[in-house]
Amino acid sequence: MANITYIEAISKGLWEEMERDKSVFLIGEDIGPFGGAFKVTKGFIQHFGEDRVVDTVLAETAILGAATGAAVVGMRPVAEIQFADFVTTGFSQLVNNTASIHYRWHVPCPMVVRLPSGAGIHGGPFHSRNPEAWFFHQPGLKIVAPSTPYDAKGLIKAAIRDNNPVLYLEHKRLYRHIKGEVPETDYIVEIGKGDVKREGRDISVITYGSMVHMALEAAEILQNEIGLSIEVLDLRSLMPLDTELIYSSVRKTGKVLIAHEDNITGGIGGEISALINENCFQYLDAPIKRIGAIDTPTPYSPPLEEFFLPNTKKVVVALKELAAF
Amino acid sequence: MKEEKKKNIQAPWADLKLSNEKLIKIYRDMLLIRRFEERAAQEYGKGKIGGFCHLYIGQEATGVGAIAPLREDDFIYTAYRDHGQAIARGMSSKGCMAELFGKVTGVSKGIGGSMHFYDLSKGFMGGWGIVGGHPPLAAGSAFATKYQGRDSVTICFMGEASTNQGVFHEILNMAMLWKLPIIFICENNGYGMGTAISRAMAGEHLFEKAAGYEMARGAVNGMDVIEMYREMSVAIERARKESLPTFLEARTYRFRGHSMSDPGQYRTKDEIDEYKKRDPIETFGSDLKQWNILSESAIEKLEEEIKAEVQEAVEFADASPQPSIDVLYDNVYA
Ligand SMILES: Cc1ncc(C[n+]2csc(CCOP(=O)(O)OP(=O)(O)O)c2C)c(N)n1
Ligand SMILES: [Mg+2]
């Protein structure tokens, strides 16, 4: 075991997969000598060479389209988009070409798109997005969003080995803020499997990414303050969802808070809520609650951004309301 | 270089109708940008400024030389390296500093931050954070002014790496096809983040990217504010009188990192030092001295004045209130 940061876990996972499988290669802007916008691939080009660490020009459409084309003829590209926000410039490739290729041709399209996501670093409107809802709606794409170093490493490895296009959402604020134990031996975290990060009886918080940590803090606070027993379910995979784990948690607690950093309207929380409603209605003791960013673009000014985003305090308030219902 | 100049019988700006006041204003704007940003870097270090902050230091001549010949009813679009161009357009150093501080008195009311300055009353149309995202907007504005029968000109700054986005070609073609009164100013500072242009462009001459559209084009020494002014004047005339676009490659250099968090290992110190010898402010300053437009003491006085202005801007930004939460909800829809 090694105690490493979230960002180190991603790097290690990538490194190990590149060592393991020659068909894995990296493609993206400034990932070579510069080491990537956030330094995830620092030192890679020196070790793996230019052929496998392909520094591209600034052109997301070209990166995503080229990765797709390489994937269908036997490669396993891992594309880095510098900030998830910029994936929009290559949107057509992903939602039209990449997502439909297996459906139409029955060939695997094993590629990963790394998307540094999320707000809370004062990036303003174009450097803070959470992109999951844009792609969640598109059949043919898988989406994962790790919250811990263990999951980050296990999921990047699983994503690379998967025969489908996988969007890998890595949260920028977690990069150097979260540390954890990570095995040095080979392991994967299965895509489609959630994880109960804290067991509880009274309320289920269904969440992922950065919000997992806030939910855990809130659970601790409420346990100490009023003896409330909160279960924190980390989805880890957003597509496919671990519906069995979700339903079993809901059946146990009867009350649900869905928490994501992405803004509320049209966010994936709505879909999860609908699924619970359709499948666990008789177990619910309170209306399902959702928490997320407010429905505006991301403001730059720190106090505005703080108001804009969900945080531990807001999770606590929402949980207290649910408890009182 | 100096000796060569001494032999000149004419000042470098002799062919341009530039008053002494205008020449001094050009110098002052460049110096103000430099000092403003040096201070911004310090304030960033102190945590007063957050997020991403891209400095224009080294490129001042490009922005000032391009903006100085514009009229008040012209439009300017740019990318995220926008402080210098905003100041060159006459946006107040107070408002700009306050924006960096995220305050309500900022030019974007604290909503946009460093990358997203704007002032519609001055035709300063941003400040855009998605590389390659804004040139189509500039073309749209140029289309509109032509449609409306105004003789306004739109200028669009962009970094050289942005010309690798497909949309660059989409919009160049349209601008030429529709004969739009627009000038694309591609600031070629040699690097897109950590990637040298030699590693990012097939072909040698960036400005020839416009050749496929048979657009007027050329390279300019972007370290020379007068040359920028001259070439821009020609391009502006072409846009205003003939409604035709121009593509200018301004060859320049940024002295600082891509943003505040760039250790800069992709280029050598020697290279940076070589360019610093061609510092656009020092070069122009010494020309102004040589032609007796500004004395050494006048330059010192300007320095003092600007130092005070920047200090005031920081105090203003510091003392300004935070934006109120209401602004978040007020403006999502018209
Ligand atoms: C669509 C998009 N992709 C990537 C980025 C990240 N990024 C910001 S600036 C930059 C380099 C741009 O270089 P250039 O256009 O030459 O402008 P310069 O920074 O040199 O002024 C990159 C890759 C972005 N902001 N938007
Ligand atoms: Mg550049």
Side-chain angles (χ1 to χ4, degrees):
Chain A
M1 285 281 186
N3 195 259
I4 58 175
T5 59
Y6 182 89
I7 194 166
E8 285 167 337
I10 300 168
S11 297
K12 276 197 193 304
L14 283 172
W15 187 284
E16 286 176 18
E17 289 306 294
M18 287 186 75
E19 290 281 20
R20 193 185 58 79
D21 181 352
K22 273 214 101 143
S23 63
V24 178
F25 75 99
L26 309 183
I27 180 168
E29 296 161 15
D30 301 293
I31 62 171
F34 196 69
F38 292 98
K39 305 290 177 228
V40 171
T41 57
K42 193 167 169 233
F44 277 59
I45 196 163
Q46 290 81 356
H47 184 76
F48 294 106
E50 288 188 354
D51 292 347
R52 298 188 66 198
V53 182
V54 183
D55 231 342
T56 69
V57 304
L58 203 163
E60 286 79 11
T61 302
I63 294 168
L64 295 167
T68 307
V72 292
V73 290
M75 302 296 287
R76 290 187 178 269
V78 182
E80 172 176 308
I81 298 297
Q82 292 194 337
F83 286 67
D85 312 55
F86 314 153
V87 76
T88 48
T89 24
F91 198 70
S92 171
Q93 292 296 337
L94 281 181
V95 300
N96 291 316
N97 298 350
T98 314
S100 74
I101 210 158
H102 185 270
Y103 178 71
R104 295 182 300 111
W105 292 358
H106 313 170
V107 293
C109 184
M111 61 184 270
V112 179
V113 183
R114 290 185 33 241
L115 297 168
S117 309
I121 58 165
H122 317 317
F126 312 129
H127 290 70
S128 304
R129 303 289 288 248
N130 289 290
E132 55 270 34
W134 299 332
F135 299 107
F136 185 72
H137 188 61
Q138 177 57 53
L141 302 172
K142 292 189 176 182
I143 309 172
V144 299
S147 67
T148 64
Y150 179 92
D151 292 344
K153 186 174 172 191
L155 279 171
I156 192 74
K157 289 164 79 80
I160 289 170
R161 295 179 199 185
D162 200 285
N163 276 339
N164 296 282
V166 181
L167 308 187
Y168 181 91
L169 274 49
E170 44 197 69
H171 200 287
K172 303 193 289 284
R173 201 159 35 75
L174 301 185
Y175 272 156
R176 292 175 173 86
H177 284 162
I178 298 292
K179 270 190 133 181
E181 293 296 327
V182 173
E184 288 178 273
T185 50
D186 189 34
Y187 74 99
I188 63 155
V189 168
E190 198 183 326
I191 294 177
K193 287 277 179 264
D195 183 36
V196 175
K197 289 280 191 297
R198 178 183 174 115
E199 290 205 36
R201 294 177 315 274
D202 299 330
I203 305 174
S204 304
V205 184
I206 299 172
T207 185
Y208 57 92
S210 66
M211 292 298 295
V212 169
H213 301 282
M214 298 169 198
L216 288 170
E217 278 168 23
E220 188 65 22
I221 290 169
L222 290 169
Q223 177 76 57
N224 296 338
E225 244 181 45
I226 50 176
L228 212 54
S229 169
I230 306 292
E231 176 144 306
V232 177
L233 194 166
D234 180 357
L235 291 168
R236 300 197 293 198
S237 272
L238 309 183
M239 181 59 70
L241 282 168
D242 191 346
T243 46
E244 268 324 299
L245 192 65
I246 294 171
Y247 302 156
S248 71
S249 181
V250 174
R251 284 195 291 263
K252 179 168 65 171
T253 63
K255 289 184 177 180
V256 182
L257 174 68
I258 302 166
H260 55 56
E261 189 189 290
D262 194 11
N263 59 303
I264 288 282
T265 302
I268 73 169
E271 182 64 26
I272 296 168
S273 171
L275 285 169
I276 295 170
N277 196 40
E278 284 165 1
N279 294 283
C280 302
F281 184 69
Q282 63 275 35
Y283 297 96
L284 288 175
D285 297 324
I288 297 166
K289 247 189 177 327
R290 285 180 295 160
I291 187 169
I294 64 172
D295 289 319
T296 74
T298 313
Y300 160 67
S301 183
L304 292 188
E305 191 182 19
E306 195 181 317
F307 179 85
F308 163 86
L309 287 173
N311 57 30
T312 304
K313 245 199 256 165
K314 294 179 194 176
V315 175
V316 167
V317 170
L319 285 170
K320 279 185 173 166
E321 283 169 15
L322 268 177
F325 189 88
Chain B
M1 270 209 37
K2 270 231 171 82
E3 255 156 313
E4 228 175 86
K5 281 216 184 99
K6 282 218 177 85
K7 280 188 247 145
N8 289 347
I9 31 167
Q10 281 196 321
W13 48 81
D15 59 321
L16 303 167
K17 287 188 211 98
L18 282 169
S19 65
N20 286 5
E21 290 74 56
K22 184 86 178 176
L23 287 166
I24 294 169
K25 172 81 167 56
I26 287 173
Y27 179 76
R28 190 186 190 284
D29 280 351
M30 288 203 288
L31 196 60
L32 175 59
I33 295 168
R34 177 71 57 92
R35 301 294 175 247
F36 175 92
E37 287 204 316
E38 286 168 348
R39 187 63 188 269
Q42 287 171 14
E43 299 302 317
Y44 192 95
K46 289 189 220 157
K48 294 275 184 185
I49 299 170
F52 302 94
C53 184
H54 308 80
L55 302 181
Y56 201 52
I57 291 176
Q59 301 182 210
E60 294 92 343
T62 315
V64 173
I67 290 169
L70 290 180
R71 268 184 0 203
E72 270 178 24
D73 59 345
D74 292 333
F75 294 95
I76 301 169
Y77 282 84
T78 188
Y80 46 85
R81 201 178 294 287
D82 60 354
H83 314 155
Q85 292 143 355
I87 289 173
R89 188 53 166 177
M91 287 165 68
S92 80
S93 43
K94 282 183 180 169
C96 292
M97 193 63 84
E99 186 58 35
L100 298 180
F101 278 51
K103 298 300 182 72
V104 69
T105 51
V107 292
S108 315
K109 309 196 173 42
I111 293 281
S114 163
M115 297 186 275
H116 311 112
F117 286 10
Y118 75 94
D119 184 345
L120 302 190
S121 73
K122 291 191 154 60
F124 192 82
M125 317 294 282
W128 294 89
I130 300 290
V131 175
H134 66 284
L137 308 188
S141 291
F143 173 87
T145 56
K146 184 175 181 179
Y147 182 99
Q148 294 158 350
R150 295 149 76 176
D151 68 347
S152 293
V153 162
T154 299
I155 75 170
C156 178
F157 292 96
M158 62 182 88
E160 90 290 340
S162 77
T163 67
N164 297 315
Q165 291 279 31
V167 67
F168 167 78
H169 288 280
E170 297 172 26
I171 215 62
L172 248 65
N173 184 38
M174 255 162 69
M176 193 65 206
L177 192 65
W178 294 349
K179 299 195 172 27
L180 298 182
I182 187 169
I183 301 153
F184 299 101
I185 302 152
C186 179
E187 297 189 76
N188 180 1
N189 59 11
Y191 294 89
M193 203 173 269
T195 302
I197 184 168
S198 57
R199 300 183 62 235
M201 188 176 72
E204 211 176 323
H205 298 295
L206 185 125
F207 66 87
E208 292 295 5
K209 288 194 181 191
Y213 311 104
E214 296 173 15
M215 188 183 291
R217 61 195 177 275
V220 197
N221 177 4
M223 303 298 268
D224 180 339
V225 73
I226 292 301
E227 192 178 325
M228 273 308 296
Y229 189 98
R230 180 179 297 112
E231 294 304 323
M232 276 299 292
S233 302
V234 174
I236 290 168
E237 182 87 356
R238 183 181 296 123
R240 220 183 293 286
K241 300 273 158 64
E242 300 170 63
S243 191
L244 281 172
T246 302
F247 181 82
L248 287 180
E249 173 193 350
R251 295 190 174 147
T252 180
Y253 198 79
R254 62 168 159 73
F255 294 166
R256 300 291 184 96
H258 169 73
S259 67
M260 301 306 295
S261 57
D262 172 9
Q265 277 150 352
Y266 49 85
R267 56 181 187 176
T268 63
K269 193 175 170 297
D270 282 355
E271 181 184 297
I272 301 173
D273 288 343
E274 213 34 59
Y275 276 98
K276 280 189 175 166
K277 287 187 200 148
R278 296 169 50 197
D279 187 312
I281 302 176
E282 279 173 27
T283 325
F284 188 51
S286 74
D287 284 350
L288 290 177
K289 274 191 279 181
Q290 191 192 331
W291 294 94
N292 299 320
I293 310 289
L294 272 179
S295 63
E296 188 62 49
S297 68
I299 288 186
E300 271 164 37
K301 211 173 134 239
L302 269 184
E303 279 278 12
E304 286 307 311
E305 226 179 271
I306 285 169
K307 199 172 154 200
E309 178 174 342
V310 171
Q311 178 59 27
E312 234 177 273
V314 170
E315 283 165 18
F316 172 80
D318 229 354
S320 289
Q322 302 284 0
S324 95
I325 300 303
D326 303 336
V327 305
L328 282 178
Y329 295 103
D330 284 353
N331 296 307
V332 178
Y333 298 97

